[in-house]
Amino acid sequence: MLFYWKDRALRWWLLAGCGAIFALVFALYGLPVQAVGYAALLCAALLAGYGVLGSLHYRAKHQKLQQAQHSIGVTLDGLPPADSQLEQDYQRLLGVLSAEKASAVLAADEAQSELVDYFTLWAHQIKTPIAAMSLLLQGDRPPDAAEISEQLFQIEEYVGMVLSYLRLGSEGNDFVLRSYDLDGILRQAVRKYARLFIRKKLALVYEPVGRTVLTDEKWLLFVVEQLLSNAIKYTPKGSVSLLVEGDELLIRDTGIGITPEDLPRVGEKGFTGYNGRTDKKATGIGLYLCRQVLQKLGHGFRIESAPGRGTTAAIGLFRSLDTRE
């Protein structure tokens, strides 16, 4: 109750000041000051009663607010009703903050859940080349250097993908947009997968395209590598082509293709489709990352495919004006 009187001390002093002014004016005009004292006494008694009732209400509300600190959860239902417009404004403000907090917590929980799901999948995925290397080293015959090199290459691929996943999901980004020689980017990707082309006896169809592109070299290279890796993975025989038609870079293979029912969902997070279910190592993350990167860079992206007739992944070489960076 002491806080109630302290909170309203200015009001009491103002009332006392008003009474003093009345007494002074009455004295200056020769009016009976006793009338002021009598009126002041009656007002004081009335104000005292009002103060006692007000302090009791103040104390009850204070106790409810203290209890709400321990019981209030997602909603603000535990708050006592507002007695003034200012309190209503504060409660609306608390409601806005509570909704923002709930939204932020939900987004953080979803992001954490997605991260856990991805790392769980990634951990199972990377076990395959590690187990293969272990078997190669435990055999009676000398380990095959080419086999071990291929398994190490797969491990490097998985590590690179998870790092890209984390960088892409961070609040900031490291995009550096400049004009780059497209052939320089394509040659880096071709050199990286040259060994797999030789091992699978696939033909590479590539002629210098002589084009420049406004992009981020590192991230566009990541996309080209992912698409090239998929083309090699799902092409048992034939060829993989890198070419430019109009304003698009095409990565075309003669592989097994994608079923019509799976094609609309290609690039969704975690979607592997029929081919991914056949290939137990597929995660569906690669194409999802490609779509996310190209969207942030402002490049268009589309996929055309038919079962048994190969797949064509097309990247728009011009940046869209409505990029989201």
Side-chain angles (χ1 to χ4, degrees):
M1 295 179 66
L2 181 62
F3 288 106
Y4 173 81
W5 296 100
K6 285 184 177 180
D7 288 345
R8 288 156 178 77
L10 181 60
R11 301 179 186 179
W12 310 132
W13 284 112
L14 286 173
L15 289 173
C18 290
I21 291 173
F22 270 96
L24 178 63
V25 171
F26 272 50
L28 291 175
Y29 280 91
L31 299 174
V33 181
Q34 294 85 352
V36 178
Y38 182 67
L41 183 62
L42 292 176
C43 290
L46 180 62
L47 290 175
Y50 171 79
V52 171
L53 294 177
S55 63
L56 293 175
H57 178 72
Y58 181 90
R59 180 181 180 182
K61 192 166 187 178
H62 176 65
Q63 291 175 344
K64 287 182 179 179
L65 288 173
Q66 284 186 319
Q67 293 172 359
Q69 294 178 16
H70 304 288
S71 62
I72 197 166
V74 179
T75 66
L76 302 177
D77 295 337
L79 290 177
D83 293 333
S84 65
Q85 182 63 47
L86 189 60
E87 289 187 2
Q88 291 179 8
D89 293 338
Y90 275 119
Q91 289 196 7
R92 279 194 290 268
L93 179 60
L94 287 174
V96 172
L97 293 176
S98 177
E100 292 291 334
K101 178 185 176 182
S103 177
V105 169
L106 180 62
D109 288 344
E110 289 179 351
Q112 180 67 18
S113 177
E114 289 180 357
L115 195 62
V116 170
D117 290 343
Y118 175 70
F119 271 101
T120 302
L121 188 62
W122 179 84
H124 287 292
Q125 187 182 42
I126 204 170
K127 284 181 181 179
T128 303
I130 293 175
M133 289 178 61
S134 178
L135 289 175
L136 289 170
L137 293 173
Q138 291 175 6
D140 296 333
R141 60 185 178 86
D144 188 338
E147 286 283 352
I148 292 179
S149 179
E150 182 175 345
Q151 301 304 325
L152 280 173
F153 180 80
Q154 289 187 27
I155 293 175
E156 291 175 357
E157 286 276 276
Y158 297 150
V159 171
M161 185 178 293
V162 76
L163 290 176
S164 298
Y165 181 88
L166 293 174
R167 283 198 299 265
L168 194 63
S170 63
E171 293 184 359
N173 61 58
D174 57 351
F175 295 146
V176 180
L177 298 175
R178 287 178 7 205
S179 292
Y180 291 96
D181 176 24
L182 184 58
D183 284 308
I185 296 175
L186 297 180
R187 280 193 288 266
Q188 291 182 64
V190 168
R191 281 197 297 268
K192 180 175 181 178
Y193 291 97
R195 190 181 306 168
L196 292 182
F197 275 102
I198 296 172
R199 188 172 182 83
K200 294 193 68 173
K201 299 179 180 179
L202 296 176
L204 172 65
V205 181
Y206 166 64
E207 294 291 339
V209 297
R211 295 285 293 270
T212 59
V213 59
L214 180 62
T215 190
D216 180 281
E217 181 183 32
K218 179 183 68 177
W219 283 105
L220 184 59
L221 175 61
F222 168 80
V223 171
V224 173
E225 288 178 351
Q226 288 297 313
L227 297 176
L228 200 57
S229 174
N230 278 359
I232 296 171
K233 182 188 299 183
Y234 296 112
T235 304
K237 61 180 180 179
S239 63
V240 177
S241 304
L242 295 172
L243 64 153
V244 170
E245 289 184 358
D247 295 324
E248 291 183 321
L249 168 65
L250 305 182
I251 301 176
R252 179 176 294 157
D253 63 59
T254 59
I256 60 178
I258 303 171
T259 61
E261 58 269 23
D262 288 343
L263 192 57
R265 296 191 60 190
V266 169
E268 291 183 10
K269 191 171 187 178
F271 180 74
T272 58
Y274 175 78
N275 294 338
R277 290 188 292 272
T278 303
D279 177 17
K280 303 301 183 183
K281 296 178 292 182
T283 63
I285 295 296
L287 284 177
Y288 165 78
L289 291 178
C290 289
R291 284 195 181 276
Q292 294 299 310
V293 168
L294 292 175
Q295 182 180 5
K296 289 178 180 292
L297 290 176
H299 295 300
F301 183 56
R302 63 184 180 86
I303 293 179
E304 295 179 352
S305 184
R309 300 177 63 181
T311 300
T312 299
I315 301 173
L317 297 181
F318 286 131
R319 297 180 67 242
S320 171
L321 294 179
D322 61 345
T323 58
R324 299 177 182 177
E325 298 174 9

